[in-house]
Amino acid sequence: MLNLATLNPQQREAVITHRGPVLILAGAGTGKTRVITHRIAHMAQKGVPPGNILAVTFTNKAAREMLQRVNELVPRARSAERGARKEDGEAPRAEERPTICTFHSLCVRILRQHIEKIGYKRNFVIYDEGDQLAAMKKILSAISAKGENTDPKVILAMLSKFKNGGTRAVGFEDPGVRALAEHVAKRYESALHACNAVDFDDLILLTLRLFREHPDALQACCDRFRYVMVDEYQDTNAAQFELVHSLTRESRNLCVVGDDDQSIYGWRGAEVANLLDLEKHFPEVKVIKLEQNYRSTNHILNAANAVIKNNARRRGKNLWSAQGDGEKLTLQCFANDDEEARVVAENIEYDRLAKRVPWGQQAILFRTNMQSRPLETALRKAKIRYHLIGGQSYFDRREIRDFLAYLKTFLNPHDDVALLRIANTPARGLSDVTMERVLEASHERKCSVFATMRHTDVQASFQSRAGEAMREFLRFIGETRAPLEANEPFSLSQWAENWLNATGYLAELQRMEKTTEAAENRIKNLKELILTLDDKEQPNVRPQARLDEFLADLTLDHEREEDKEAGDAVTLITVHAAKGLEFPRVHLVGLEDGLMPHSRSKVEGTMDEERRLFYVAITRARETLRISHCSGRKKYGQLLPCHPSPFLKELPGDCYEDADVAASKPVEKESGGDWFAAMRAALD
């Protein structure tokens, strides 16, 4: 239940300030999630209809955590009672709960209601990275010069930056470059529109277009979301900024929570100016600073404060803790990255044996993924379990992508990317040569591959075996889709099992794998996913609507694999990925000039962001922080000289000590007794 007495004065002020624009400057570890959830609960308690409250964040994980906390603070019974008191005895609607979601999820909800106004069907599909790459390859094959080999990933990244940056997009100032980007963007948008598909960027951009072209849709959203909160506001880009301001320009009830000192995503379009310049758009904004840190000790916080003060353009704040000074940071230099990795592993194992620190309380942070190789080697050699964040996603596995392509095809056969993926998977007589000819015909006729295959003259242009295979494939799609069109509830999992067996896909998986175990693992992956197709909480939802929701959830949620518990294992993670996380003991490796700050930062003028990255790394540590760098680092098998990061000179001398000096200090009697006890327990 809600208890404001557990909050400090600044947190309490942020919670009880409901109306007008509010900026909550929440430093690292100052309890911002607690403030956001208590604020939502307090608003509901004071009579604000929960359905009028919107809280937006960047990740599904953060949204789920907030929703869970709010549900604990605002029991459903209260919401239901309020709904039951509505005139004419209306049943309480779903919107009687606060809406807590990501930017992309919010836009999916809005577009599912209004997208027909801008020429799309409501059952649009959301392209993931693989679908986008396939669509871009198709475009590049049509517009590239003969022999030209353009990387579609590079073009998609450029396009995303261009689309999200709007008129302020960096790197597109040259008229020629901008014209080229506009041309590719138009072709790409047209290709997706033809398949009734959108990508992640489109979800926000199409919502903005909807708001501009149809003020009634915007007004409907503003009427519903009268109180808007945005988490991690320093990470918003131009499009997200416009979306938030469109929803709050009239009500002025905007509360943004963020920390400019933790703005580390400029390379993907985030604009820290959105937070720094908030007064330009909301002159009446009330600024509340949260500076009491509940995570780290004061030695760690003093180091972080001293470093970040060297950034000229920032909102001043000074983190402090009531937990005391704690241990000093340690700093150590190694001859090379292999030695660094070996000593880090030794320190982790020493902590486990002598200090009873489990592996799960240790994390190794680094600037780039390439740095993980020597660390993994050293940990394996020391038989230390570890969890590397950022491995292959469950949804990137071949069998899962094939299955999702089938589902997308059944929902929307005009989705060229999905249909082309499954046309001959498993083999059914539609070879690559056949499908290339069909694709060419679809270009000539300016229609989808599916529509092209249905033309009898196209079928007749192939040899009888290929033509019959095409007709059989069309029959299969039509018969399998038919139950989805019937509007009658049925078991989607049973339906999926039936057509998977009918296609022989499971049998093909077994044939393709070298071992029975590998084949069984792939089949198990599929069957686990199939079981989630049926919604046990809403059994009467139409199958087509359920499938739409299922695919949207999978496409939007990138974090499910990373959310899984790793057990008692050391965490290996980049500093970018570690933002928002905390660990009792942190080993920050590779603090060298060229790594942090990155060599590009001097050319691109992003030194301030690199310093913020170092600040984020420091503030991940709760109890101890060990920082290391090397005088040489291997690259392509050759040991190259390295220099310490200039940021290390910004650490206050009274916050850290040399690791060798720290190791040579005499052990206090009490600590020594604890260590001997731990060693005896380990031997037992």
Side-chain angles (χ1 to χ4, degrees), residues 347-576:
N347 286 336
I348 288 171
E349 198 61 354
Y350 174 77
D351 283 349
R352 184 178 74 88
L353 294 173
K355 300 184 180 180
R356 302 184 190 182
V357 178
W359 289 327
Q361 292 188 12
Q362 305 263 8
I364 307 174
L365 273 59
F366 39 85
R367 176 67 169 82
T368 68
N369 280 308
M370 291 189 302
Q371 293 169 254
S372 73
R373 185 206 56 77
L375 294 163
E376 289 190 73
T377 302
L379 292 171
R380 283 177 179 168
K381 193 172 180 181
K383 294 183 171 55
I384 296 172
R385 282 197 299 275
Y386 67 89
H387 175 51
L388 175 64
I389 301 292
Q392 185 190 30
S393 168
Y394 174 84
F395 296 104
D396 284 335
R397 293 169 185 168
R398 185 180 73 245
E399 67 276 14
I400 302 300
R401 292 187 71 83
D402 288 344
F403 179 70
L404 297 181
Y406 268 106
L407 296 185
K408 290 174 183 178
T409 301
F410 297 143
L411 274 177
N412 175 17
H414 300 286
D415 181 345
D416 284 356
V417 173
L419 185 139
L420 289 170
R421 183 180 181 95
I422 57 105
N424 209 41
T425 306
R428 53 169 63 90
L430 296 172
S431 66
D432 289 346
V433 174
T434 298
M435 294 313 295
E436 281 176 15
R437 283 181 57 192
V438 174
L439 192 56
E440 287 174 11
S442 78
H443 280 308
E444 293 168 4
R445 293 165 182 263
K446 293 183 171 55
C447 61
S448 70
V449 170
F450 179 74
T452 302
M453 293 173 79
R454 295 172 70 181
H455 284 283
T456 52
D457 58 337
V458 171
Q459 295 173 18
S461 68
F462 289 88
Q463 291 181 354
S464 58
R465 185 178 296 179
E468 181 54 36
M470 203 175 295
R471 286 187 287 274
E472 180 57 36
F473 180 55
L474 292 170
R475 271 196 299 274
F476 163 69
I477 291 177
E479 290 172 3
T480 311
R481 290 187 72 223
L484 296 174
E485 302 285 338
N487 276 345
E488 295 295 328
F490 66 92
S491 170
L492 280 171
S493 57
Q494 188 58 57
W495 167 79
E497 286 266 12
N498 291 343
W499 58 256
L500 269 177
N501 287 321
T503 60
Y505 184 83
L506 298 179
E508 173 135 321
L509 272 184
Q510 289 175 317
R511 283 195 303 272
M512 290 170 65
E513 291 301 327
K514 293 179 180 178
T515 66
T516 306
E517 183 182 359
E520 286 175 352
N521 283 338
R522 289 193 181 277
I523 291 171
K524 182 186 174 189
N525 287 338
L526 261 184
K527 293 199 169 181
E528 285 178 351
L529 184 60
I530 288 169
L531 289 174
T532 66
L533 284 171
D534 291 320
D535 190 346
K536 294 178 177 58
E537 292 184 2
Q538 301 182 65
N540 296 321
V541 173
R542 288 192 306 114
Q544 187 169 358
R546 170 63 189 141
L547 214 51
D548 268 331
E549 184 183 347
F550 175 82
L551 285 171
D553 284 348
L554 292 192
T555 308
L556 290 168
D557 192 354
H558 291 296
E559 301 168 289
R560 295 188 179 189
E561 276 300 291
E562 292 189 358
D563 285 353
K564 288 185 177 178
E565 291 295 328
D568 185 21
V570 176
T571 299
L572 270 68
I573 189 170
T574 65
V575 180
H576 278 104

Side-chain angles (χ1 to χ4, degrees), residues 239-281:
Q240 291 158 342
F241 173 87
E242 187 180 344
L243 177 70
V244 168
H245 283 249
S246 297
L247 290 171
T248 57
R249 194 172 286 118
E250 185 179 311
S251 72
R252 315 297 283 179
N253 293 328
L254 171 65
C255 173
V256 301
V257 186
D259 179 10
D260 51 308
D261 291 336
Q262 296 185 73
S263 179
I264 59 173
Y265 297 119
W267 48 275
R268 69 183 188 195
E271 298 187 18
V272 68
N274 291 346
L275 187 148
L276 293 173
D277 299 335
L278 192 62
E279 284 88 347
K280 290 182 181 178
H281 309 278

Side-chain angles (χ1 to χ4, degrees), residues 32-41 66 69-70 73:
K32 72 179 177 66
T33 303
R34 183 179 179 81
V35 167
I36 293 170
T37 52
H38 275 64
R39 189 174 190 271
I40 293 170
M66 283 186 193
R69 291 203 200 179
V70 168
L73 294 168

